[in-house]
Amino acid sequence: MYLADHTWEELGDYFERESLALVPVGSTEQHGPHLPEATDHLIAEAYAREAAERTGYLCTPTVNVGVSPHHRQFHGTMWVDAPVFRDYMTSLARNLTYHGVDRIVFVNAHGGNVQHLREVGRRLHDADEAYAIEWMWDESIPDLVSEAFERNGPHGGPKETAMIQHLHPDLVREEKLADARDGGWPDFDEEVAKVRKHGSRTFYDSVENSPNGVFGDQTDATAETGERLFEAATEQLVALCEWLAARDSADLAPREHV
């Protein structure tokens, strides 16, 4: 169920029955010449709402702006500083605990948010306020994603392109797929090895490596592949929610000092 569609009385009935919430989290940032800046938060919301529909668990409104300063050189990219994001997400989670939620799944679709959502989860866990975990769609089905594309990439590549082709085909600039590939880093794994020096990552921003900000071969993506990946990852998210809901509260609490 989607929180914003319901009245406070209807939501009260939910909180009497359940204590789990899905919080979709994405970004608003450049995704090359072929995908919209909404890419990440559209994907996060689609997964969270689909899982909520299948399970009956609560889905909150989407957090659309995340930690994206590494894309700042490209027009329109929005971001908040990492400490602000962590504080905001912590406060948002505590809002949910006030209503009785003690299990939260951050349904995340932006790599730049991962470490910060993990930190938010640790804050809440250490304080014994909630058990909050970060879930990233492609990390739930790594083998399937790897097999689906010959030249994958972590940002604006074929996996995200296929996902938007499936979810919002009208937002994909199909005529720009070859430009995205040729103007970026089509062979990500080979190229990233060249910019790591003596074990150190020597770059901070996407533009330092990719002139158009994307990685991978976008021409390898199709809506059909996107649908297959979406279904597989949704199954993983549903299973995660059911696993988390079934856990005993004592198992989720922080351990005592030895």
Side-chain angles (χ1 to χ4, degrees), residues 52-127:
E53 179 69 23
R54 296 188 190 188
T55 62
Y57 294 125
L58 187 71
C59 175
T60 74
T62 305
V63 177
N64 290 340
V65 177
V67 183
S68 303
H70 48 293
H71 295 299
R72 70 187 187 279
Q73 290 89 349
F74 297 94
H75 301 307
T77 291
M78 301 182 70
W79 73 91
V80 293
D81 291 337
V84 175
F85 177 78
R86 292 192 294 268
D87 287 346
Y88 177 85
M89 295 305 300
T90 302
S91 181
L92 177 61
R94 285 174 174 155
N95 159 222
L96 292 170
T97 67
Y98 178 80
H99 295 297
V101 168
D102 66 0
R103 297 142 207 254
I104 299 169
V105 179
F106 294 123
V107 181
N108 180 40
H110 173 50
N113 294 338
V114 171
Q115 63 179 313
H116 307 294
L117 291 173
R118 287 285 299 170
E119 173 59 27
V120 171
R122 169 163 289 285
R123 289 181 183 180
L124 297 166
H125 182 257
D126 288 355

Side-chain angles (χ1 to χ4, degrees), residues 39 125 133 200:
T39 291
H125 182 257
I133 51 179
S200 177

Side-chain angles (χ1 to χ4, degrees), residues 124-145:
L124 297 166
H125 182 257
D126 288 355
D128 199 14
E129 295 175 298
Y131 193 85
I133 51 179
E134 183 267 346
W135 179 86
M136 188 86 167
W137 74 270
D138 57 316
E139 292 180 1
S140 75
I141 50 169
D143 293 340
L144 189 59
V145 172

Side-chain angles (χ1 to χ4, degrees), residues 23 82 89 107 163 166 170 198 200 206 215 218 229 234 239 245 258:
V23 180
M89 295 305 300
V107 181
M163 201 59 62
H166 167 55
D170 55 313
H198 310 293
S200 177
S206 293
F215 307 90
Q218 296 75 14
L229 298 178
T234 298
V258 295

